Structures are given as structure tokens and as C-alpha cells.
Amino acid sequence: MKLIFRLVVLYLLFLIQTAVIRPQLDLVVLGLVIFCLHDTLMFSIILGVWCGILLGLVNPLHFGFHIIVLSFIAYACNNIRRFIYKYKSYFIGILIIAILFKYILSLIFLGAQQSFVSWILATLIILLIAIPLENLTVNVFYKQWKMQVTENSY
Amino acid sequence: MAKRIFIFILALGFVIFFLPSKIKLPITKYPRFILLYPLNGINQVLSNLKTHRKDFQYLQELTTQLKIENAQLREKVFKNHEIANSPVLVNSDLVSANIIARDNETGVKFLTIDKSNRNNLAINMPVINVNGVIGKIIETNNNQSIIETALSPGLKISALDQRSRVNGIIEYSDLSNLRFKYAFSESDIQIGDTISTSGLGGIFPRGLVIGIVMRTQLDPTHFFQYVEVKPSVNFNTIDQVFIITSKISLYEEYIPKASQYDDLYNLKAGIPMTPRIR
């Protein structure tokens, strides 16, 4: 059930990213990074593949590329968080690296990309909404887990 | 266990990525049909917010048809009397469609529209709007279709300079410009010339405006010219397109009569040509 909720949230982010907002913001990557920093490795990989499939659907000639990139981001985020995920600044740092990683790989393998200036602009907007969205996600999905840990620790 | 699954997924992703598009497109057909279905609804909600939509759509359609007709007439002016006597086809069948999604890298390479094979759309149908050529349909299912735009590196359009009639190929240059290739260095191409479709290739009808020449320079090989073309369509702002559903050419293609070329093609059947060695 937890996994389905996460899949639905990422799907909604994909719909918003694809159909509503212009210029396109990497909301899917943002959602993926937030979930992967909190969930298990298996969950993260599934979410990465799911996001890759979704992004591949609107870019059908390059289907498969996003599966590789986003599942790698998911895997890397989940492994990194054990070492450095303590403060919000790390979350922002990981997010920037993830978006930059996707941008560079798209530039290399897909040939065309949005200009660097518009990418910077989109990334800044993403960073602005990242912290509130992360807080919201943690409160909605992980609050119960936090309380359990607190109770157990006492 | 998770690591093994991750490696397996990476391998699977690589295999899918390097599959030919003929296999990829059918694979993604049904997931797209299901997962992109809500985009139609979202688009409808958004479109309902716009007032006088139908009138606006009608006027756009009318303008597009008039533009095509205008292009036809311009073409006729350029041609000799034999072609001028040929019949001009009536306005083509257009299907209007709304853009419901864009590709996530650039937003201009692949567009998803809300019309499908239910609306008689098929693969390779040309897509235009009021200002000119947008691209062609590369995939369609029961709900949506995908357009590959002229700004995608994969799409090449046979084109010509409307003034000097120089033929070439239009292809992607960068995300805002196109390139007119294979124009010889001595060809007469000037800044401000209009580039339109030539009708060769069989997908795009002749005479549709593609863009305007912005820059010309000699290729490093000194054999061809480097011609930069600014597309007449702003791919970032379009939200509605038209698909030409009927096979049209802007006028009947000129087929020279054999009698005119008797001297040139004075070949007799049954007598094989022997190569001349000098």
C-alpha cells in the first residue's frame, strides 16, 4: 500500500510536470529524490523504474534512457543517505547533483536539451519548492515512522 | 538481492534504449494509452477556462487553410505556363488537435496531442499550424498521438528556397534554429529568403512554409553552404496544431511529355547502352 501511494504521487507529479507547468520543472526527479532518501533500497529502485517509464512515454524514441538514469539516481540517493543525510542542506545538494546528472546525460545521449540558462532557471524554481515539499512529504508519509522510532528509543 | 535487481534493470534499460524505434514504439503504445489518458481530462479542464474557444479554433483553421491556399497560389506564380494550367487542389482536410504533453528534456522535440487514430490520424501525417510546418506523426493509438517536430534531430524535411528554387534538406541545428543542408556553394540563397517544403519525400505537401533564412556561410569544405533557418513556428508557445489527413500536393506534379525530350532520351528498346571509354 505504501508503495502504491508513492507511485501515485510520482504519477501526479509527472502529470503536472508534463501537462501543466511551462517551462518544465524536474518535479519527478524531486519527488524521486525525496522518497529515495527515506525509503528502502528496493522501494527506491521500483520508484526509479516507474519514473523512468513515465518520462520515457512522452519521449518514445529514447524509451529506456530514463529508466537507466532515474533508477541509478534512486539507487545512488538511497545509498548516499546512510552517510550524509542529516541536514536539509545535504538534501538540496543531492537534489542538485541528481538534476545535473540527468541534464548532462540527456545532453550527451539525447543530443538536444533546453538551454543552460533556462535549465538554471528551472532548477532554481525546483530548489525553491524543494524544502516545503520535502517537509510536506515527510509529514504525510513518514511521520508515523518517526513517532515509532521515538517511542522505541525511549 | 536489491543490487542484483538494480543491475538487471540497468541492463534491461540499456537493451531497451538501443532497440530500434520500430520495436520501441509498439512497446510503449499500450502503457501510453493507459498512463497518458488523464492528460486528456486535464487538457479539457484547462481548455474550458478559455473563452470563445470554438470561434478562435475556427478562425485559426480558416487562417491555416488560407495560408495553404496562398502558398499554392505563390507556387503557381513561380511556375511556367504548363504548370500554371494545372488544377489547384482544394483545401486539404485538417484535423485540429491540442497539445497535451511535451517531452521532458526540451519541451519541443516530441509533442503529444489529444487526437488519435479514432480521428483518422495515421503515422507520417504532416502536422502544421497557422505559421507553418511543425512535424509529423510518429505514433498513434486510440487516445493520443505523438508528433516528432522539426526541432528533433531525427526529422528531415525536403525543402526549397521559394525565391531561387534551390533544393535541400531541412534538419535540426539547435533548439531554436534549423539548418538547410545540401545547398551548393554557388547556389543563390540570401538572408530573408523563405524556405518551404518541396514535396519530395511524399510526407509533406509542397509549399508549406518552414522558416526564413537567417544566416549563410560557406561550408569548411567549400562545396556546400551552411544555411541557418529560423522556423516560422514558435515551438515553445504552440498549444494547438492541425494535421493534414488527406494526401495532397499543392498542385499536380509536372510530368514532362516524352515528345519534348526526344532528343535527350533517344533510346531504343532492346539495344543495350555500351559505356564509352575516352
Side-chain angles (χ1 to χ4, degrees), chain A residues 11 17 24 59 61 66 113, chain B residues 24 35 103-105 175:
Chain A
Y11 180 53
Q17 170 179 335
Q24 288 187 337
N59 203 343
L61 291 187
H66 295 96
Q113 254 293 359
Chain B
K24 265 189 218 178
L35 293 170
D103 74 278
N104 285 279
E105 272 68 44
L175 280 178

Side-chain angles (χ1 to χ4, degrees), chain A residues 10 12 15 102 150:
Chain A
L10 288 173
L12 291 175
L15 291 180
K102 180 172 170 279
T150 315

Side-chain angles (χ1 to χ4, degrees), chain A residues 65-78:
Chain A
F65 170 79
H66 295 96
I67 295 176
I68 300 166
V69 174
L70 293 181
S71 50
F72 185 82
I73 288 174
Y75 184 82
C77 285
N78 194 277

Side-chain angles (χ1 to χ4, degrees), chain A residues 11 14-20 22 24-26 41-42 45-46 49-50 53-69 71-73 75-76 79 102 106 109-115, chain B residues 1-3 5-6 9-10 13-14 16-18 21 24-25 27-28 31-32 34-39 42 46 100-110 112 138-139 146 148 151-153 172 175 235-236:
Chain A
Y11 180 53
F14 163 74
L15 291 180
I16 294 168
Q17 170 179 335
T18 309
V20 182
R22 295 283 300 158
Q24 288 187 337
L25 308 173
D26 273 330
L41 184 58
M42 187 58 94
I45 292 170
I46 293 169
V49 173
W50 173 245
I53 290 171
L54 290 176
L55 293 185
L57 290 179
V58 287
N59 203 343
L61 291 187
H62 307 302
F63 190 72
F65 170 79
H66 295 96
I67 295 176
I68 300 166
V69 174
S71 50
F72 185 82
I73 288 174
Y75 184 82
N79 279 297
K102 180 172 170 279
S106 303
F109 290 103
L110 306 189
Q113 254 293 359
Q114 58 183 327
S115 68
Chain B
M1 182 64 182
K3 274 186 185 175
I5 291 172
F6 172 65
I9 285 165
L10 281 188
F14 271 109
I16 295 172
F17 182 48
F18 288 109
S21 57
K24 265 189 218 178
L25 290 173
I27 289 174
T28 57
R32 194 167 54 246
I34 299 163
L35 293 170
L36 299 189
Y37 189 76
L39 291 175
I42 292 170
L46 291 174
I100 56 173
R102 290 164 177 270
D103 74 278
N104 285 279
E105 272 68 44
T106 60
V108 294
K109 282 197 300 182
F110 298 99
T112 307
I138 56 164
E139 170 60 20
I146 293 201
E148 185 176 19
L151 292 181
S152 165
Y172 159 89
L175 280 178
F235 289 88
N236 283 306

